[in-house]
Amino acid sequence: MIAIVDYGAGNLKSVQHALEFLKVESVITGSPDAIQKASRLILPGDGSFGFMMETLKKKKLIEPIKAFLMESLRGGRPFLGICLGLQGLFQESEESPGIKGLSIFKGSVKKFRDGKVPQIGWNRIVPKKKGIFKEEYMYFVNSYAVAPKDPSIVATETDYFGNFVSSVQLKNITAMQFHPEKSGKGGIDLLKRWLAC
Amino acid sequence: MLTKRIIPCLDVKDGKVVKGTSFVQLKYAGDPVALARKYSEEGADELVFLDITASYEKRKIMIDVVRKVAEQVFIPFAVGGGIRTIEDIRALLNAGADKVSINTAAVENPSLVRKAAETFGSQCIMVAIDAKKSASGWEVFVRGGREPAGMDALAWAKEAERIGAGEILLTSMDKDGTKEGYDIELTRSMAEIVNIPIIASGGAGSLETIARVLREGKADAALAASIFHYGKYSIAQVKRYLKGDGIEIRI
């Protein structure tokens, strides 16, 4: 069973609806046990970096999620991060100074310096390496973007008054800044490709 | 580059889409879910549902509509109309709406906007402004455009941004229903003084009117109702035209 991590914020159901549409069963859960047993793990997002990390801590979910991620890094069960679920993989964020992220990847999360913030709407993702992504428009709602230390994890880039990293991928960890569950047919097809890998 | 958005607006009363009696409507028999799915498939970037249900009791029907749309339509959508409290907002977001649009209650109770933005995030709080040309600029009207609020529209937009609105849905009452084009001056004036997206509404007519409000009016998105409902243009037709005109559009 696919587990969607519930940390008390965000529109978790929209991810589940998209999976239902693809006839894939999932459970929205805040239980460490369910996360340990999941066939795949999805960390969706909405809210702030600090709120997410503190809620995960309170719910004792940091260790099980980290353990899952380490397994994904060894080529085990796949992990998908969406929006904050991408940002949380890094060490820290300008949004919530002093709060530690899951620190799976080196680097930080930085606020957009130019343009209207948040970026709201459809923007083009451009693949930087082979994988499940193709060049197309996806729906974004974000004020912050990740800045990985290791350029090899960058899966796609997107231009918003300059290029930013719109998704990363390493082994079985895939994480995206945009919302595939809100990106129409292109987003649904992308989820389908993730489910197939 | 971020694309400009094309947003069809659906007026919903007692759970049925109203406005529009053309073949498009007949085919979908006023079913908001079917119409939303059709617009999404045609390439709509987002949807706005305006609940014009008069009685409070029947409002619950809208929650049901929202739930069904969320299950079947995979683009963002906002819901507006009669939202007064944090609980109203929570109910709509929990049912699957991505955003809510607040009009009269935002004017009368700005702390609602602040509280909503703090609780749910600015990205899901849209402030709707109905504006009408006055001697000195544009005046805000509330209660479905029936009452002047005694506020300047541009000043209110700035204030709405300050208290946490994530987007502004700006309707020109002078242009609404005329099909002669959006109020370019109003839209541009507002777009130049706030740093949040402006969704322009009121006056959509020819394809050129949409291009103009996005380019000259500097709007981030164009909302239209009747041109889509009456089948004058399809969403795809509008988007092809805009792209051909050199505007950044998702096709």
Side-chain angles (χ1 to χ4, degrees):
Chain A
M1 179 84 85
I2 298 178
I4 301 169
V5 181
D6 179 4
Y7 56 89
N11 200 348
L12 306 164
K13 272 193 208 147
S14 58
V15 177
Q16 190 171 43
H17 291 325
L19 295 176
E20 267 164 25
F21 182 80
L22 292 168
K23 311 218 180 318
V24 174
E25 257 191 283
S26 62
V27 58
I28 295 175
T29 178
S31 127
D33 193 47
I35 288 170
Q36 269 156 18
K37 287 181 183 151
S39 58
R40 285 168 181 260
L41 189 63
I42 300 179
L43 183 60
D46 242 352
S48 76
F49 187 90
F51 173 81
M52 176 173 83
M53 291 314 302
E54 284 182 346
T55 315
L56 291 178
K57 197 168 159 186
K58 251 185 255 157
K59 290 188 150 190
K60 301 197 175 8
L61 294 178
I62 294 200
E63 287 318 311
I65 291 173
K66 270 192 169 172
F68 195 102
L69 282 160
M70 295 317 286
E71 200 184 313
S72 305
L73 273 185
R74 293 191 299 267
R77 296 175 290 169
F79 172 94
L80 175 64
I82 298 173
C83 196
L84 261 183
L86 158 70
Q87 298 178 5
L89 300 179
F90 288 80
Q91 293 166 297
E92 56 182 1
S93 171
E94 286 180 1
E95 186 174 20
S96 312
I99 293 190
K100 241 181 101 187
L102 293 164
S103 306
I104 294 297
F105 296 130
K106 285 205 171 106
S108 62
V109 186
K110 296 194 158 88
K111 189 159 190 180
F112 282 132
R113 302 278 184 255
D114 292 300
K116 293 187 175 182
V117 176
Q119 163 185 224
I120 299 180
W122 298 75
N123 207 334
R124 182 172 281 272
I125 61 167
V126 180
K128 292 286 143 187
K129 60 177 179 182
K130 270 200 178 141
I132 61 171
F133 298 100
K134 56 178 194 171
E135 186 165 342
E136 61 187 325
Y137 287 106
M138 289 285 159
Y139 186 78
F140 287 84
V141 182
N142 62 312
S143 302
Y144 298 81
V146 299
K149 282 253 164 65
D150 174 4
S152 75
I153 67 170
V154 175
T156 63
E157 282 184 347
T158 296
D159 177 13
Y160 189 64
F161 298 88
N163 279 353
F164 70 92
V165 174
S166 49
S167 69
V168 302
Q169 179 269 322
L170 184 61
K171 292 284 174 61
N172 281 348
I173 294 181
T174 307
M176 41 195 85
Q177 184 57 63
F178 49 88
H179 291 270
E181 76 283 10
K182 286 288 162 187
S183 295
K185 188 176 183 303
I188 295 286
D189 289 346
L190 174 59
L191 286 173
K192 208 168 167 178
R193 292 197 293 277
W194 177 72
L195 289 165
C197 72
Chain B
M1 271 263 288
L2 192 67
T3 65
K4 301 282 188 179
R5 288 172 278 158
I6 299 301
I7 307 178
C9 177
L10 293 85
D11 286 1
V12 179
K13 190 180 180 192
D14 302 341
K16 293 262 176 259
V17 178
V18 293
K19 234 191 214 176
T21 49
S22 71
F23 66 98
V24 179
Q25 280 303 122
L26 284 176
K27 194 169 154 195
Y28 292 93
D31 175 1
V33 183
L35 207 50
R37 205 185 309 128
K38 171 189 142 77
Y39 284 144
S40 165
E41 281 161 10
E42 280 182 2
D45 294 306
E46 204 166 316
L47 301 168
V48 169
F49 292 90
L50 194 59
D51 185 12
I52 56 168
T53 304
S55 86
Y56 191 78
E57 298 76 55
K58 285 188 177 168
R59 282 268 167 70
K60 294 197 184 75
I61 302 172
M62 193 62 193
I63 297 286
D64 220 43
V65 169
V66 168
R67 199 169 291 128
K68 284 186 187 133
V69 171
E71 280 168 14
Q72 299 184 34
V73 181
F74 302 106
I75 57 171
F77 66 97
V79 181
I83 293 168
R84 311 225 129 251
T85 65
I86 285 285
E87 287 320 306
D88 292 341
I89 298 171
R90 192 188 307 276
L92 289 166
L93 296 178
N94 281 348
D98 298 282
K99 312 173 183 184
V100 293
S101 161
I102 314 172
N103 192 330
T104 305
V107 171
E108 293 177 349
N109 178 18
S111 67
L112 174 68
V113 176
R114 189 192 296 275
K115 179 116 190 280
E118 280 168 11
T119 312
F120 308 109
S122 286
Q123 80 289 339
C124 61
I125 307 301
M126 200 183 260
V127 165
I129 302 178
D130 291 345
K132 196 173 182 170
K133 189 108 186 87
S134 68
S136 58
W138 293 272
E139 192 181 0
V140 178
F141 276 68
V142 291
R143 301 190 191 284
R146 289 191 299 275
E147 277 177 34
M151 284 165 94
D152 175 69
L154 299 183
W156 170 226
K158 270 222 87 74
E159 175 65 5
E161 175 183 22
R162 196 183 66 81
I163 59 178
E167 284 179 283
I168 288 174
L169 170 52
L170 171 63
T171 302
S172 159
M173 292 172 60
D174 304 297
K175 300 290 185 180
D176 203 17
T178 65
K179 294 196 177 61
E180 59 184 32
Y182 296 83
D183 190 331
I184 303 292
E185 206 192 334
L186 165 65
T187 310
R188 190 184 48 231
S189 303
M190 198 172 282
E192 282 174 347
I193 58 156
V194 297
N195 199 36
I196 52 177
I198 303 284
I199 301 166
S201 157
S206 67
L207 295 170
E208 199 206 334
T209 61
I210 301 173
R212 279 195 66 204
V213 79
L214 295 174
R215 187 178 284 121
E216 294 159 47
K218 298 189 175 175
D220 298 276
L223 179 137
S226 52
I227 61 161
F228 296 132
H229 302 331
Y230 291 96
K232 186 174 178 194
Y233 302 111
S234 69
I235 309 254
Q237 229 175 334
V238 168
K239 295 185 92 173
R240 270 197 306 272
Y241 174 87
L242 295 172
K243 191 159 177 102
D245 205 33
I247 293 172
E248 196 78 15
I249 281 287
R250 170 184 74 109
I251 298 254

